[in-house]
Amino acid sequence: MKTKMIPLMLSLAFCALPSHAARLDGAPPAACEGLKVATGPAGKGYSKLYADLVRVSKNTVPLCEVNTEGGLDNLTTLSIKKADVGIVPMDALKKMAEGDASIASLLVVASLNSNYLHIVTAANGFMLEGPKKYGVLKGDMRNVRITKMSELRGAPVALVGSAQLMVRQLDKLLGYNMRYIDVDSDAAAFQKVRSGEAYAAFSVAGWPHGQISRLAPNSGLTLAGFDVPTSSPYSVRPFSYKNIGVYNVQALAVQNVLVTRPFSGSKVGDVAALRQLLERELLELKDGDFEPGWNEIKSFDGNVEWTRFAGVAAKRK
């Protein structure tokens, strides 16, 4: 059967001295006097990008970090005005905007790096019983290894964070009828795969994925490839993880963007200053000892199908 093309529409602490950090409940610090920036869990993905900017900013722009659960939570945090700007993936932005006017009004300040859908599977496969003989006798046991997305039709899968939305949307369009197991952490998802309860674990993160890059060669886990045609806002790109012997595996990629609420007062200038800081420091972020995600960025004006922050448009004239 010919696979249909998928029309998927799911799909930094600059702090005024002294520096401030938000509590993990998403509430901004009481003493924050600048823009409140929604990132993600401390020490992961978006928060690491934010930390890099802290290092190069020299406190020239007053911002405070609001730690959240990640991209999806950032959209909600922006919607209820607990943050002023935030980092989000384009697929979640488009999908969540369908039911929330506050999210639909967000403006793109800058195109950033991409997030990748990691499909974690058992390196040596798992044993599965075949059809019963004569309807009653135990079927033959066979080893099953999942090597690509298209092999997960009808399979139980563990979903973490943003993958809980992304994979459901993919599944709806593909008609794979996968069975979802929502979990709170990558570690829990990986354990589901090791035990055979899930045929695969889906986790969305920038490259390299912290939890996957720390897996030992004998972890029993590997990565399956994404072999389904896609369309905007997605692309398919290869990545590698030497620690588990994975090289040039195709992965689904989605653009991250920095978005802002539509301000009309003094915060317009604050957002413009943030954008100028990004432009000024990009080469340093690429050349220095910073997150690999910065090296993916060729231009902060990378094409995305969304309304741009007016300060960016004015700058280009």
Side-chain angles (χ1 to χ4, degrees), residues 159-177:
L159 310 179
V160 184
S162 296
Q164 293 174 3
L165 172 62
M166 179 189 285
V167 174
R168 280 176 167 83
Q169 294 301 313
L170 283 171
D171 194 22
K172 182 178 179 180
L173 291 160
L174 292 168
Y176 280 7
N177 296 314

Side-chain angles (χ1 to χ4, degrees), residues 236-249:
V236 177
R237 305 177 193 172
F239 59 23
S240 300
Y241 286 87
K242 181 180 178 181
N243 57 303
I244 53 175
V246 170
Y247 299 95
N248 297 319
V249 169

Side-chain angles (χ1 to χ4, degrees), residues 51-108:
D52 286 344
L53 284 161
V54 171
R55 291 173 56 192
V56 299
S57 70
K58 300 179 177 62
N59 297 301
T60 56
V61 179
L63 300 174
C64 304
E65 182 176 17
V66 179
N67 290 115
T68 68
E69 294 179 4
L72 279 175
D73 195 23
N74 286 348
L75 288 168
T76 301
T77 303
L78 287 161
S79 178
I80 61 177
K81 301 174 67 173
K82 285 188 176 181
D84 302 316
V85 297
I87 308 174
V88 302
M90 277 302 303
D91 60 340
L93 174 59
K94 290 186 174 185
K95 184 61 181 177
M96 296 296 287
E98 294 175 4
D100 189 320
S102 296
I103 293 176
S105 71
L106 296 174
L107 305 171
V108 171

Side-chain angles (χ1 to χ4, degrees), residues 45 62 85 92 101 113 115-117 120 129 133 178 200 272 305:
V85 297
N113 64 323
N115 272 353
Y116 296 86
L117 181 64
V120 180
E129 183 180 343
K133 297 178 181 179
M178 293 183 288
E305 298 172 351

Side-chain angles (χ1 to χ4, degrees), residues 126-133 136-144 199:
F126 52 92
M127 300 306 295
L128 188 66
E129 183 180 343
K132 290 186 179 297
K133 297 178 181 179
V136 293
L137 299 179
K138 184 178 180 179
D140 294 330
M141 299 299 293
R142 61 189 179 94
N143 182 266
V144 177
Y199 290 11

